[in-house]
Amino acid sequence: MRYLLGLVLILALAAGGVFFFAGRMPGPSIQITKPVKYVGQSTTVEVAITAPQAKLSDFSVAFEQNGKQTPLASLAQPGNAEIKQDGADVVRVTRTFTRNDVPDLKSGPARIVVTATRPVLYDLRKTTTSAAQDVQVRLERPQIAVLSSKHYVNLGGSEMVVYKATPPDVESGIMVGDIKYPGYPASGAKMEGVNITDPAVKIAFIALRWDQDVNTPMYAYARDEAGNSARADFDRLTFPKPFKKSRIPLDDKFLERVVPAILDTTTEVNPQGTTLQKFLVLNGELRKKNAEKIASYVAQSAPEILLGGAVFHPFTNTAVEAAFADQRTYIYNGEEVDRQTHLGFDLAKVVNSPIVAANRGKVVHASPLGIYGNCVILDHGMGVQSLYAHLSSFSVKVGDTVEKEQELGRSGMTGLAGGDHLHFTMLVNGQMVNPVEWWDAHWIQDRIIRKLREASGS
Ligand SMILES: [Zn+2]
């Protein structure tokens, strides 16, 4: 009998111990992934709660400021929150809140507080975890106003906008459709006697892509880290431009010369089949990959204008063999086999003629680049760059600063080139644009210098 009592006592103690320790088992783990630092006019809170089999008996997300808590979401009252299971063990809670949800919201410090509870010991007990994220509330919207006037944009062409965005550290730029053109501090435009010192004044070079609608919406925007944003319209006229159509005959001699030579320089595509089939992969897929690579160099653009003289070297005394945005149809054995748009100028002189820098700049690329063959890309600052393709040799290397009209290399027929010529294009924030404008002294004066002078008040 005594043994039996002893056994019952031991079992009772053991059960009590299990019950006690179950309550001390780890609660769900909580990660507040958003907001990282700022709360603005509208803020999204994102929380990931991890528990075995994503089993939760409760959770709550709240905003806390000056000792007052405002519930944002809980398991019982999800409100506008989105609750989703992600994988076996994770529950994701997403809730966007505004001033209407937190009427006393004020600029200053605050916290996001999350608690989560999971059942343990066959739902007999519960275990809870809490987490908090310190945030800063910023409710003041940034301000933006465009200072420059009379913007004229040709389809496939460029423009420049001067604007003022405050506070000066706010992210800002110009949107053209869904393409963003970042602004650079105007203090970096020390040219032609221009000297703008206000840190809130910015310059953005923009482009209307050859394939965008001529009525594409454009506006200046500013956006702070709390997600508060502002936008401003600017006066402008846009002009359509008819692009030429041309036919490019392909023959086996040309294909046998260019296709294996390009494939030797790239691992980005690995086409199979006939030489024509391989050519079509180079002309389509590789052309696209090359354009992405070319666009990526804008990340290295200098924040100041590097130009030595405003007008770009116009490559006179050359025969123009093809113009910007020519619509090319490729013909093989009398049949149409491909269509592409030619985004540059083809300029021919004599074989191996010296190719010079169109303006002062820094070499960001000087090596084979797919269909462009031996290719040099120069950075002129603030997202403006120029490209020189099909060279036979280089006389510069990456990192070199070159003066306007300094030799970059010799012309050639590397890449997709039917004969010795220079393929030249201008780039604005990675978009290929019509170089004709940049060769035109009147355009440079009116589009760039006039606006800079007006903004600096001289
Ligand atoms: Zn070309």
Side-chain angles (χ1 to χ4, degrees):
M1 189 61 192
R2 265 173 64 188
Y3 294 114
L4 196 60
L5 262 175
L7 193 63
V8 167
L9 191 66
I10 288 166
L11 282 174
L13 274 173
V18 167
F19 191 75
F20 176 75
F21 284 107
R24 309 187 92 188
M25 279 170 76
S29 90
I30 299 170
Q31 258 191 306
I32 303 170
T33 47
K34 269 186 191 171
V36 177
K37 197 170 172 193
Y38 292 105
V39 163
Q41 298 272 355
S42 170
T43 303
T44 299
V45 180
E46 255 178 41
V47 179
I49 306 170
T50 310
Q53 286 120 49
K55 253 181 104 177
L56 296 174
S57 32
D58 199 9
F59 73 80
S60 76
V61 180
F63 176 83
E64 189 184 284
Q65 192 174 35
N66 301 324
K68 192 180 163 191
Q69 272 207 4
T70 310
L72 296 175
S74 67
L75 193 59
Q77 286 184 302
N80 295 327
E82 189 184 296
I83 302 166
K84 268 204 286 200
Q85 190 168 340
D86 182 1
D89 298 330
V90 182
V91 176
R92 288 189 188 279
V93 185
T94 309
R95 168 77 206 270
T96 299
F97 70 96
T98 65
R99 276 179 116 150
N100 296 334
D101 303 301
V102 186
D104 295 334
L105 191 64
K106 284 183 184 64
S107 287
R111 299 204 310 163
I112 304 292
V113 181
V114 181
T115 349
T117 305
R118 71 179 180 100
V120 285
L121 195 70
Y122 307 103
D123 295 359
L124 290 172
R125 290 215 72 176
K126 286 171 180 166
T127 168
T128 300
T129 318
S130 294
Q133 171 83 42
D134 288 322
V135 292
Q136 280 291 325
V137 181
R138 262 175 90 158
L139 296 175
E140 302 75 24
R141 283 183 191 280
Q143 307 243 321
I144 188 159
V146 174
L147 305 179
S148 50
S149 62
K150 299 190 200 101
H151 306 89
Y152 303 119
V153 201
N154 295 308
L155 193 61
S158 315
E159 241 305 3
M160 194 192 78
V161 181
V162 187
Y163 62 88
K164 185 169 179 164
T166 46
D169 63 349
V170 77
E171 186 217 325
S172 64
I174 305 291
M175 290 299 295
V176 179
D178 54 2
I179 306 176
K180 196 185 266 191
Y181 294 87
Y184 294 86
S187 56
K190 287 192 176 53
M191 58 189 296
E192 313 258 332
V194 170
N195 187 16
I196 303 168
T197 50
D198 184 344
V201 178
K202 304 279 156 69
I203 294 170
F205 284 96
I206 65 168
L208 179 59
R209 267 179 67 111
W210 64 276
D211 56 355
Q212 279 182 307
D213 191 284
V214 77
N215 296 315
T216 299
M218 302 182 194
Y219 58 90
Y221 75 93
R223 190 180 165 83
D224 72 14
E225 287 173 284
N228 303 308
S229 61
R231 61 164 79 185
D233 203 359
F234 55 93
D235 76 281
R236 65 185 180 276
L237 289 170
T238 53
F239 303 95
K241 213 167 152 48
F243 297 124
K244 273 198 307 190
K245 288 189 170 62
S246 64
R247 291 163 73 84
I248 307 286
L250 301 171
D251 60 34
D252 290 323
K253 196 177 153 213
F254 168 74
L255 297 179
E256 290 302 340
R257 178 175 68 79
V258 298
V259 172
I262 294 172
L263 286 174
D264 274 352
T265 66
T266 182
T267 52
E268 286 188 282
V269 289
N270 186 19
Q272 305 297 318
T274 64
T275 312
L276 176 66
Q277 285 166 333
K278 290 178 183 172
F279 167 83
L280 294 175
V281 170
L282 300 184
N283 207 31
E285 199 182 327
L286 186 61
R287 180 184 293 270
K288 230 169 138 185
K289 289 190 171 175
N290 292 160
E292 285 163 17
K293 168 91 178 156
I294 290 164
S296 74
Y297 284 108
V298 73
Q300 298 179 31
S301 194
E304 67 270 357
I305 292 178
L306 307 174
L307 309 183
V311 183
F312 281 64
H313 177 79
F315 301 98
T316 41
N317 305 323
T318 54
V320 176
E321 294 185 327
F324 186 80
D326 283 359
Q327 303 296 304
R328 286 180 161 176
T329 303
Y330 295 79
I331 312 290
Y332 181 77
N333 281 345
E335 303 244 342
E336 177 185 329
V337 290
D338 204 3
R339 281 183 187 203
Q340 296 294 339
T341 304
H342 179 256
L343 297 175
F345 259 73
D346 285 350
L347 305 157
K349 212 171 185 177
V350 289
V351 170
N352 284 331
S353 38
I355 298 302
V356 299
N359 217 316
R360 188 168 198 273
K362 191 173 170 186
V363 180
V364 290
H365 181 97
S367 56
L369 206 167
I371 64 167
Y372 294 89
N374 292 333
C375 178
V376 172
I377 301 174
L378 289 187
D379 176 46
H380 306 292
M382 294 194 180
V384 177
Q385 299 177 324
S386 56
L387 177 145
Y388 314 75
H390 309 312
L391 307 187
S392 58
S393 64
F394 298 104
S395 43
V396 291
K397 58 181 190 314
V398 170
D400 288 355
T401 296
V402 294
E403 294 305 322
K404 185 177 176 181
E405 288 158 6
Q406 184 180 327
E407 188 175 322
L408 302 173
R410 296 282 168 143
S411 70
M413 51 196 288
T414 54
L416 270 191
D420 188 299
H421 74 280
L422 168 67
H423 172 98
F424 177 80
T425 198
M426 290 294 297
L427 297 156
V428 170
N429 200 43
Q431 305 293 339
M432 294 175 184
V433 293
N434 198 339
V436 168
E437 297 172 337
W438 297 85
W439 291 331
D440 176 355
H442 175 78
W443 185 89
I444 295 275
Q445 272 302 321
D446 191 56
R447 297 280 79 87
I448 302 177
I449 311 297
R450 169 183 63 87
K451 293 183 204 149
L452 291 176
R453 291 225 167 102
E454 283 171 4
S456 57
S458 57

